[in-house]
Amino acid sequence: MLLDEDERLLEDSADALFRTKAPIARLRALRDRPPGDRIDRALWREMAQLGWPAIPWATDYDGLDFGYRGLGVIARQAGRTLALTPLLATVWLGGTLVHEAGTDAQKRQYLPAVARGDLLLALALEEAHKHRPRPRETRAMPVDGGLRLDGCKRHVIDGGSADLQIVAAADAEGVTLCLVPRDAAGVTIRPVNAIDPRDLADIDYVNVFVPAERILGRAGGGGEALAHALDLGRIGLAAEMLGAAEEAFDRTVEYLKVRRQFGVQLGSLQSLKHRCAHMFCQLELARAVLDDALTAIDDGRPAAELARLASMAKAGIGQCLHRVSREAVQMHGGIAMTDEADIGFFLKRAAFAEQALGDANFHSGRFATLEGY
Amino acid sequence: MHQPITQPEPEDSPEQQAFRLDARRWIAANCPPTLLGSSHVFHGGSKEPGRADARLWFARCHARGWTVPSWPVEYGGAGLSARLAQIIRDEMDAAGAPLPLNGQGITVIGPTILEIGTPEQKAQHLPRIANGEVRWCQGFSEPNAGSDLAAVATAARLDGGHYIVNGSKLWTTHGDLADWMFCLVRTNPAASKRQGLSLLLFAMDSAGVSTRPVELISGSSVFTECFFADVRVPADGLLGGLDKGWNVARRILEHERSSESRPGGIIGSGPGSGPGGDGRTLSMLARPYVETENGRFADDHLRIAIARQEMEQRALALLQALADRTNRMHGRIASSEQTSIFKYLSTELTSRRMEIYLDVMGQQGLGWDGAGFSDAELHATRYWLYSKAFTIAGGCSEVQLDIIANRILGLPR
């Protein structure tokens, strides 16, 4: 990452906030709460007071117009302490969808509330055990005054806590995005207790009435916005993943300097040194890709180029985090197997993050498609 | 915390912008059209004259100091800042004009002499590098000193005003075409390995020097073995001080790694190198060999392998661009640690690319020469064999990983 002065200040304050208010001890405490109630609302209030949820939007919608590079700096620092924040679901994904697909009235209604930290969003998209970028089975049928929504969504990020779900439904014309309040009739939220204590929920929609003013944009017209929001979400998640990989790597290298076996520091053994050096080179590549991907959002580069970079970031940083998190456990040795050691949390976060919004195979294949093979 | 190695790029100042436009016009007016888009480069010396148009382009550039634009005017350069020199390079690249002069003289030993040579050495050697009169070769590796370079055994014994050199060097690139050698020798056999080395400069036509080509597994022979039998080298050919050769060699290797690890260096070329080569990517080269369904490669395993390769090549190009911009902004050259990262990544990546391409060609990738194989296939197969050298030469991958682990990560030695 190459940061200008403003971005560096932002990085410092994000680093300070997450290390003091959301260290891994905080993640442990949230893990002990019931699934569905694991959003760190106190942390989110502080983030909102600092204006972070408002970073990407134009000032018309009470945004700060600071750009996605700034948001990426925060996501990366959040990744370092594995902080559980609504940033991915509410801003990168949900906020982007409202911003891209919403009518002006919808934007004025929802984005300022997001910016204040008063409204949590969730994208209800997935229907299977693997990521699919478009809905297939969830239907939104026209009825008097709006739509009738039916379907089952899986592993909705922040689905247990979000005030408003953005449900992606398939219809003959394309993708319809429906805004559904958590307490709407016919909505059943079933929180999921996952290895990474992030808020996840399966959500059933049975005969849910969606009034016309809660169709985001136009019925059948949400496909492009969904694709764009997914790419931004992938880049935002990749930023978080890079932070997690950097932290796990730094902790491992430090451990190898203090841990002694065979009468020597472990870090003096060449088999370990070479693996660490290789990982460092992969982290360098990851930083360069993330940097360009974030810049591409702010520069408004064409959708196909943004898509390539999003897939490069999600696949490349995903593979990097995969390797670093596994090596971190291996190099910490037996202690890594204990719940008391923090390093296992990085492994669990890595496993979640790799699957979310498409794994490395999905994005490698997508890159090939974009390149015409 | 390990800080990234990059910083933002400076914009052209108005003066730099004017210089850029001047350079662009001059290149368009002076580079022979037959050279545009080609890779014909004059390497200096008299033993390989090269093409007439390449010589003409070289002569025109030399006349304005542009074979080595950042060197002082008195040594044949143009006395330009690193930034302006880079602008010339960028404009030549953009126009498709090859370098006017290349080789170990301008990329490796010249910069080192400029840094640490005596005034007499600078005056003697630098102008003859800049004007293409002298081609240089590197005498580092030996049969028993490869990756363990400090084990060099070629001996130099001071005898009055001369060093008497005995021994041999291996892997000397184009030793048969070079006029001078910079040679790592042992001047103090009693000192510990790294303490007893020195760097000597001498002419390849000195009495007692002989060379022999080394045939490689790829059938080509850019490398030579060089033998020294009582070669008398004037004592003023010592570069960087007696027994200071290890530090000089390290600096030279840094110059070498930084020139080899970027597009245009040997590593960035070869089939499928995309923007760094003829523009064709691995997936383009693979298409004639694979089954497709509506244009999409049917073998998903291969498709994913190629995609991962191409994504990583792009990532490396992004990392290289960031590092270049940072260095340019700070007016500095790549650090030793940076060059190790790029040397390791680019050579491993090129090696993997050639492995995938060989696999894609199947039986068609197994030809040595003759009928049954296209020229492109024969070239690719030879290049696959040759590419094995990239992760070995210039400090093998394992040496680079050691440098990164010790100097960047601070792991104990």
Side-chain angles (χ1 to χ4, degrees):
Chain A
M1 288 288 290
L2 60 106
L3 305 180
D4 67 21
E5 195 57 31
D6 288 343
E7 290 163 351
R8 207 167 278 286
L9 289 172
L10 187 59
E11 184 182 61
D12 289 345
S13 60
D15 186 59
L17 179 72
F18 293 128
R19 286 197 192 276
T20 53
K21 299 294 172 61
I24 290 183
R26 179 74 183 137
L27 185 67
R28 290 177 184 276
L30 291 167
R31 180 180 64 168
D32 293 339
R33 300 211 307 223
D37 182 29
R38 287 174 179 169
I39 293 273
D40 194 339
R41 291 179 191 272
L43 178 68
W44 187 237
R45 267 195 302 278
E46 287 205 49
M47 292 170 71
Q49 277 160 13
L50 291 164
W52 295 350
I55 278 182
W57 322 126
T59 48
D60 295 0
Y61 308 114
D62 293 356
L64 296 178
D65 209 4
F66 191 84
Y68 279 89
R69 287 182 56 86
L71 202 61
V73 163
I74 293 167
R76 181 175 171 211
Q77 293 306 313
R80 276 201 168 258
T81 68
L82 305 179
L84 289 177
T85 87
L87 217 49
L88 176 64
T90 294
V91 181
W92 289 97
L93 290 166
T96 303
L97 278 172
V98 173
H99 191 260
E100 295 296 310
T103 62
D104 195 56
Q106 287 169 331
K107 288 192 239 189
R108 288 184 191 285
Q109 181 179 358
Y110 298 116
L111 289 179
V114 166
R116 286 194 305 273
D118 291 341
L119 180 68
L120 296 183
L121 303 175
L123 168 61
L125 168 66
E126 307 292 353
E127 296 163 346
H129 68 294
K130 283 277 182 184
H131 171 67
R132 288 198 306 233
R134 288 172 81 92
R136 285 187 204 166
E137 285 135 29
T138 305
R139 300 284 165 190
M141 309 300 288
V143 293
D144 195 24
L147 299 171
R148 196 193 77 201
L149 182 68
D150 287 284
C152 301
K153 293 296 190 180
R154 301 212 44 203
H155 284 222
V156 176
I157 299 171
D158 292 357
S161 310
D163 306 298
L164 195 63
Q165 298 148 12
I166 304 175
V167 185
D171 64 27
E173 287 180 72
V175 175
T176 298
L177 300 168
C178 306
L179 300 167
V180 179
R182 57 177 291 114
D183 53 4
V187 175
T188 308
I189 301 172
R190 289 178 286 116
V192 172
N193 196 18
I195 52 171
D196 180 21
R198 197 182 270 262
D199 181 335
L200 295 175
D202 291 346
I203 307 179
D204 296 339
Y205 302 89
V206 179
N207 203 6
V208 175
F209 176 64
V210 180
E213 71 271 17
R214 290 231 185 86
I215 300 168
L216 194 57
R218 174 175 67 76
E224 259 183 57
L226 178 61
H228 184 71
L230 282 175
D231 275 335
L232 264 53
R234 286 156 182 152
I235 293 168
L237 180 56
E240 197 185 307
M241 292 163 80
L242 175 61
E246 289 173 316
E247 180 72 17
F249 180 73
D250 288 352
R251 285 173 180 238
T252 303
V253 169
E254 287 313 305
Y255 183 74
L256 295 181
K257 289 177 186 172
V258 296
R259 173 72 172 168
R260 295 182 71 87
Q261 291 281 275
F262 314 108
V264 298
Q265 291 159 279
L266 280 184
S268 67
L269 301 175
Q270 202 177 42
S271 65
L272 302 181
K273 279 179 156 178
H274 283 191
R275 281 149 62 189
C276 287
H278 174 80
M279 284 190 276
F280 179 79
C281 291
Q282 298 302 311
L283 284 167
E284 285 288 297
L285 292 176
R287 287 188 269 263
V289 171
L290 180 67
D291 187 86
D292 198 49
L294 290 168
T295 305
I297 305 175
D298 288 337
D299 287 355
R301 285 190 219 157
E305 178 60 10
L306 191 66
R308 274 188 199 93
L309 282 164
S311 282
M312 280 171 63
K314 187 63 177 50
I317 296 172
Q319 287 175 288
C320 179
L321 175 62
H322 182 101
R323 181 171 194 133
V324 170
S325 60
R326 271 65 173 179
E327 286 281 56
V329 169
Q330 179 69 19
M331 291 183 187
H332 274 80
I335 194 72
M337 297 305 296
T338 66
D339 186 64
E340 192 186 349
D342 285 346
I343 203 73
F345 283 91
F346 289 87
L347 177 68
K348 292 169 178 172
R349 172 61 55 84
F352 160 78
E354 280 178 66
Q355 291 300 326
L357 307 180
D359 62 14
N361 266 338
F362 171 88
H363 284 290
S364 302
R366 182 168 179 254
F367 181 86
T369 302
L370 288 162
E371 289 287 297
Y373 61 94
Chain B
M1 219 192 307
H2 305 287
Q3 282 303 313
I5 56 174
T6 49
Q7 286 292 318
E9 178 179 28
E11 296 287 322
D12 275 352
S13 68
E15 295 76 22
Q16 287 165 349
Q17 183 60 26
F19 181 86
R20 183 184 293 281
L21 295 175
D22 272 351
R24 190 174 301 171
R25 276 193 292 270
W26 188 86
I27 292 165
N30 287 279
C31 185
T34 49
L35 269 187
L36 293 176
S38 85
S39 56
H40 292 283
V41 178
F42 179 52
H43 280 83
S46 56
K47 297 172 187 170
E48 191 183 46
R51 287 188 0 174
D53 51 359
R55 292 291 293 261
L56 178 64
W57 173 229
F58 154 77
R60 286 174 176 165
C61 286
H62 172 58
R64 49 174 30 217
W66 279 17
T67 57
V68 283
S70 63
W71 291 12
V73 175
E74 60 184 309
Y75 302 134
L80 299 176
S81 66
R83 175 86 179 119
L84 293 183
Q86 184 62 42
I87 287 176
I88 295 176
R89 178 73 186 262
D90 290 346
E91 290 301 320
M92 285 185 183
D93 285 351
L99 286 175
L101 177 67
N102 205 354
Q104 305 256 10
I106 69 163
T107 60
V108 178
I109 191 63
T112 308
I113 292 174
L114 202 55
E115 280 172 19
I116 62 165
T118 63
E120 293 75 24
Q121 285 170 333
K122 291 179 188 176
Q124 179 185 2
H125 296 296
L126 295 178
R128 289 180 183 82
I129 292 171
N131 70 12
E133 186 181 323
V134 172
R135 180 169 181 170
W136 284 81
C137 65
Q138 169 179 299
F140 276 17
S141 297
E142 297 180 5
N144 290 311
S147 290
D148 182 12
L149 184 59
V152 155
T154 293
R157 178 175 51 82
L158 194 57
D159 175 30
H162 287 78
Y163 287 96
I164 312 299
V165 180
N166 281 285
S168 69
K169 292 289 174 183
L170 189 57
W171 307 124
T172 300
T173 307
H174 293 311
D176 49 343
L177 298 177
D179 307 290
W180 276 69
M181 171 181 274
F182 52 100
C183 187
L184 193 60
V185 294
R186 186 157 299 281
T187 37
N188 185 352
S192 69
K193 256 169 93 177
R194 293 181 179 182
Q195 311 302 318
L197 298 170
S198 299
L199 201 100
L200 279 185
L201 312 176
F202 56 82
M204 291 297 280
D205 61 2
S206 308
V209 177
S210 59
T211 68
R212 179 178 75 81
V214 178
E215 187 172 336
L216 299 184
I217 54 176
S218 55
S220 67
S221 55
V222 300
F223 296 112
T224 57
E225 188 165 11
C226 299
F227 305 93
F228 315 111
D230 289 329
V231 178
R232 292 178 64 80
V233 177
D236 61 7
L238 184 71
L239 179 66
L242 186 62
D243 297 343
K244 298 281 191 285
W246 181 250
N247 287 335
V248 181
R250 253 175 59 169
R251 193 68 204 121
I252 287 174
L253 286 173
E254 285 162 17
H255 284 300
E256 180 184 15
R257 280 168 199 158
S258 89
S259 66
E260 283 190 358
S261 59
R262 60 193 52 237
I266 58 165
I267 307 307
S269 57
S273 48
D278 64 2
R280 299 220 292 163
T281 58
L282 184 59
S283 53
M284 292 178 195
L285 295 176
R287 184 167 291 281
Y289 297 93
V290 301
E291 288 185 39
T292 57
E293 290 162 2
N294 301 320
R296 172 180 158 152
F297 292 3
D299 178 345
D300 222 40
H301 182 78
L302 179 69
R303 183 166 169 266
I304 298 296
I306 291 175
R308 289 195 173 170
Q309 173 72 22
E310 292 192 344
M311 288 194 290
E312 202 164 324
Q313 284 176 207
R314 276 198 203 191
L316 179 59
L318 289 173
L319 181 61
Q320 182 82 66
L322 284 181
D324 281 352
R325 274 157 33 191
T326 309
N327 292 336
R328 216 177 298 155
M329 191 178 74
H330 294 288
R332 68 183 184 212
I333 55 172
S335 69
S336 160
E337 292 80 6
Q338 267 184 348
T339 43
S340 285
I341 292 167
F342 287 115
K343 204 282 177 178
Y344 172 70
L345 284 174
S346 63
T347 55
E348 291 290 333
L349 210 47
T350 300
S351 181
R352 204 171 79 202
R353 187 181 77 233
M354 294 313 298
E355 289 294 345
I356 296 173
Y357 192 24
L358 188 81
D359 184 42
V360 163
M361 290 189 293
Q363 304 278 1
Q364 291 305 112
L366 304 180
W368 184 253
D369 61 18
F373 307 97
S374 71
D375 286 348
E377 285 166 347
L378 292 172
H379 173 69
T381 304
R382 300 280 184 121
Y383 200 84
W384 165 70
L385 286 163
Y386 181 56
S387 72
K388 294 293 147 211
F390 299 166
T391 52
I392 300 171
C396 63
S397 287
E398 289 74 14
V399 167
Q400 307 309 329
L401 291 175
D402 272 343
I403 291 171
I404 294 162
N406 292 335
R407 295 199 221 150
I408 300 180
L409 303 180
L411 286 167
R413 284 165 200 261

